[in-house]
């Protein structure tokens, strides 16, 4: 029969092209809809079923002459309806079944499944075969919930978002058809808001819960959990499902306090920072997503500040107390303890949580003295260093983090100085005083006893210095301004003792022999660290008033006598 032949032809064509559905016709008359699926997307996660809501564009034409009778495109507004419940003509209820978003179909509807023998409203004549060219834009069901697809998640997640948290996130927003309607990336700024308090559409309030910083999700939000029947201006049409690809950048709660993670504490920590101390530290500053905003290492210079006095943000002021020199910590500071809602220009976004990885180099208090620790002291220690002494010593000078700055080992000979002559920094003078030959010390010198705020050479500004000292030699000195002193009572009278050959005059050679004899027998001492011949020559010239190459008794004047006459200070 003709009906059997039509059925055979139908199945043959169905298998020949799965993208086209041809339904039966009898004696040339359509008995059901004819569906031509001429453009089907490769991926179709969901097909239209009875009771689904759909949003689609269409052009409606007459089969007979191709004349258009209606078009949603002309109205610039997609058509929205529910499928399978009689809200559409029967032919469309059937023709939309199994359709995918972004699929294009040509649905041919016979009169008895359209407007029948009566037609409608003067637009559709009786017994008209209708052709609908349909593009499906959206599909949802009243039972739908927010669909959450996790794209990626960090391996470590110590905290997830919860209601009442404040979050910062990036997103790309599209309709279900893939048409973009908004993106935070295009504005180069995160979207910042409280979560779970009605500041977002319901679908986002639900879909953003339980996220980690750095997590990426795709959220599919049905219209009744988005902008519903009204849509959103020109961006979101009425009854549109929304797709958000989101990246969580930041999260905190207004009740949050500092989070401090101790990474490394040096052994033997006997002192910790406190308010009014001055600290030098290195840091790397990042946001919670790991992106960097600042680093002292890049500037090759520590950050230096007083703590507990309001010179840094509140969170850092608090976090920098109770640390040891050399300690490493991670500090997470919520925005209300950092730069708040305003941020800092393009440098720190508003409401940003800041993460600092810090390394304390050193700290001190402006009232700190020089700290001296004796590590070795010889048993025989009768003579110790003091002002005017000439000493020879070895040293290592380091920063408190162990960075070696200077060492006497770098030179061919040990270091020498005269104590009290202002040849070394005051703190080192202090550390070298009172030492025995062979004694070793560890000396900590705060910057106000060292090189101060400006530093010097390789010494950074405001740096605390650590010296390892050993006294190698000690020559007792003479008071400032003297070149020679008696170690007891000098010869009295002096001139006859100097006049070795008793000829009433003392030439330079005789004068030199006298002085050297006094030194060798322990009765006198020359200024150490200066050439003895030069000193004795200067002493002779000072006494040889008439410059005739010899000293007479009339020319000889003791320094103590000269002091009362405000004479030169470099005479005998």
């Amino acid at each position: 029969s003709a009906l059997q032949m039509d059925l055979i032809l139908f199945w043959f064509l169905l298998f020949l092209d799965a993208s086209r559905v041809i339904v039966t016709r009898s004696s040339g008359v359509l008995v059901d809809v004819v569906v031509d699926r001429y453009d089907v997307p490769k991926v179709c996660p969901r097909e239209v079923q009875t009771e689904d809501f759909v949003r689609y564009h269409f052009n409606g034409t007459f089969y007979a002459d191709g004349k258009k009778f209606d078009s949603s495109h002309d109205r610039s507004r997609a058509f929205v309806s529910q499928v399978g419940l009689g809200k559409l003509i029967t032919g469309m209820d059937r023709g939309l079944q199994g359709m995918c978003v972004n699929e294009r179909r040509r649905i041919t509807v016979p009169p008895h499944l359209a407007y029948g023998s009566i037609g409608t409203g003067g637009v559709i004549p009786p017994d008209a075969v209708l052709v609908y060219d349909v593009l499906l834009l959206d599909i949802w069901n009243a039972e739908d919930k927010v669909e959450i697809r996790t794209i990626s998640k960090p391996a470590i997640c110590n905290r997830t978002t919860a209601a009442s948290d404040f979050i910062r996130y990036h997103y790309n927003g599209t309709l279900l058809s893939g048409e973009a309607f908004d993106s935070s990336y295009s504005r180069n700024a995160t979207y910042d808001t409280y979560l779970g308090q009605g500041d977002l559409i319901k679908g986002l309030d639900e879909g953003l819960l339980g996220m980690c910083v750095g997590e990426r999700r795709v959220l599919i939000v049905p219209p009744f959990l988005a902008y519903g029947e009204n849509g959103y201006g020109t961006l979101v049409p009425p009854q549109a499902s929304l797709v958000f690809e989101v990246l969580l950048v930041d999260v905190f709660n207004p009740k949050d306090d500092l989070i401090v993670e101790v990474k490394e504490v040096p052994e033997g920590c006997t002192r910790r920072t406190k308010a009014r101390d001055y600290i030098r530290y290195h840091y790397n500053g990042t946001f919670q997503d790991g992106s960097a905003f600042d680093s002292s290492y890049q500037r090759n210079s520590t950050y230096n500040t007083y703590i507990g006095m309001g010179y840094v943000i509140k969170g850092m002021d608090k976090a920098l107390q109770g640390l040891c020199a050399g300690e490493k910590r991670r500090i997470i500071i919520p925005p209300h303890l950092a730069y708040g809602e305003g941020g800092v220009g393009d440098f720190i976004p508003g409401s940003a949580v800041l993460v600092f990885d810090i390394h304390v180099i050193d700290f001190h208090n402006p009232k700190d003295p020089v700290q001296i620790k004796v590590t070795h002291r010889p048993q025989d220690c009768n003579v110790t260093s003091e002002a005017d002494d000439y000493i020879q010593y070895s040293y290592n000078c380091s920063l408190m983090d162990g960075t070696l700055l200077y060492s006497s080992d770098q030179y061919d000979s040990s270091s020498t100085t005269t104590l009290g002559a202002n040849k070394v920094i005051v703190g080192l003078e202090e550390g070298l005083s009172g030492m025995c030959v062979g004694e070793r010390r560890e000396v900590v010198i705060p910057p106000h006893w060292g090189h101060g705020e400006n530093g010097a050479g390789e010494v950074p500004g405001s740096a605390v210095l650590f010296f390892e000292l050993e006294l190698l030699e000690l020559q007792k000195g003479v008071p400032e301004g003297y070149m020679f002193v008696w170690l007891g009572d000098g010869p009295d009278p002096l001139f006859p003792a100097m006049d070795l050959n008793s000829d009433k005059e003392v030439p330079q050679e005789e004068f030199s022999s006298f002085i050297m004899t006094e030194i060798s027998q322990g009765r006198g001492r020359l200024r150490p660290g200066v050439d003895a011949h030069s000193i004795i020559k200067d002493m002779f010239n000072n006494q040889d008033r008439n410059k005739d190459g010899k000293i007479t008794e009339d020319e000889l004047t003791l320094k103590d006598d000269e002091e009362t006459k405000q004479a030169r200070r470099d005479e005998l």
Side-chain angles (χ1 to χ4, degrees), residues 366-378:
K367 298 179 180 179
D368 283 349
V370 176
Q371 299 176 38
I372 298 174
K373 179 183 177 181
V374 177
T375 57
H376 173 72
R377 191 176 182 92

Side-chain angles (χ1 to χ4, degrees), residues 188-429:
N188 197 30
T190 55
Y191 192 85
D192 307 341
T193 185
Y194 284 97
L195 185 59
Q197 296 189 0
D199 296 326
L200 295 165
I201 59 174
K202 290 182 179 180
L204 281 178
D205 252 352
E206 294 179 16
L208 292 170
L209 290 172
M211 286 191 77
C212 308
V213 170
E215 182 176 343
R216 292 181 181 271
R217 285 182 177 179
V218 171
L219 308 177
I220 303 175
V221 182
F224 54 88
L225 295 177
Y227 295 102
E229 296 179 359
N230 297 322
Y232 187 78
T234 58
L235 297 176
V236 178
Q239 299 290 35
S241 300
L242 304 181
V243 180
F244 294 91
E245 182 185 349
V246 297
L247 167 63
L248 187 65
V249 173
D250 211 348
V251 58
F252 74 93
N253 194 282
K255 297 179 181 178
D256 284 350
D257 199 352
L258 292 174
I259 298 176
V260 176
E261 302 174 20
V262 178
K263 298 293 186 180
E264 183 179 322
V265 180
E267 295 181 2
C269 175
T270 58
R271 176 178 175 181
R272 294 180 178 270
T273 55
K274 59 183 180 180
R276 299 187 176 276
D277 281 346
Y278 191 88
I279 188 172
R280 297 193 317 121
Y281 63 97
H282 270 303
Y283 69 89
N284 284 319
T286 63
F287 301 115
Q288 282 201 102
D289 65 352
S291 57
F293 64 82
D294 194 17
S295 173
S296 64
Y297 294 98
Q298 292 180 350
R299 296 188 295 273
N300 196 30
S301 176
T302 56
Y303 190 86
N304 308 335
T305 185
Y306 286 97
I307 57 177
M309 299 174 66
Y311 289 106
V312 291
I313 56 176
K314 289 182 179 178
M316 187 62 79
D317 231 4
K318 183 177 179 181
L320 289 175
Q321 298 186 46
L323 288 88
C324 303
E327 184 168 344
K328 295 181 179 180
R329 286 186 177 184
R330 169 166 288 184
I331 302 165
I332 303 173
I333 304 178
H336 48 277
L337 296 176
Y339 295 102
E341 296 180 3
V344 181
D346 296 331
F347 188 55
I348 306 289
S351 300
V353 177
L354 306 183
V355 180
F356 291 93
D357 286 292
I358 68 169
H359 179 201
V360 180
I361 303 302
D362 64 38
F363 65 91
H364 71 278
N365 192 282
K367 298 179 180 179
D368 283 349
V370 176
Q371 299 176 38
I372 298 174
K373 179 183 177 181
V374 177
T375 57
H376 173 72
R377 191 176 182 92
Q379 291 183 350
D380 183 11
C381 183
N382 298 320
V383 180
T384 60
S385 55
E386 59 186 354
D388 302 318
D389 287 351
Y390 183 76
I391 62 171
Q392 183 176 357
Y393 62 99
S394 64
Y395 70 93
N396 289 317
C397 174
S398 306
L399 299 177
M400 295 302 290
D401 66 351
T403 302
L404 181 65
L405 299 178
Y406 304 105
S407 174
S408 56
D409 294 338
Q410 298 169 338
Y411 306 99
D412 295 334
S413 59
S414 301
S415 295
T416 58
T417 191
T418 300
L419 292 179
N422 298 320
K423 302 295 185 182
V424 295
I425 57 175
V426 178
L428 185 55
E429 285 264 8

Side-chain angles (χ1 to χ4, degrees), residues 492-510:
D492 190 14
L494 176 59
F495 187 80
M498 293 173 54
D499 186 11
L500 301 180
N501 59 7
S502 302
D503 63 354
K504 304 299 183 181
E505 58 185 27
V506 180
Q508 181 175 336
E509 182 177 352
E510 189 175 17

Side-chain angles (χ1 to χ4, degrees), residues 23-57:
V23 294
T24 59
R25 65 177 68 224
S26 177
S27 301
V29 179
L30 287 175
V31 298
D32 205 343
V33 295
V34 176
V35 177
D36 181 5
R37 305 180 69 184
Y38 66 88
D39 189 357
V40 181
K42 293 181 179 181
V43 179
C44 181
R46 180 173 183 174
E47 296 180 348
V48 176
Q49 299 178 14
T50 299
E51 298 188 5
D52 281 345
F53 288 84
V54 291
R55 187 169 59 86
Y56 60 90
H57 270 302

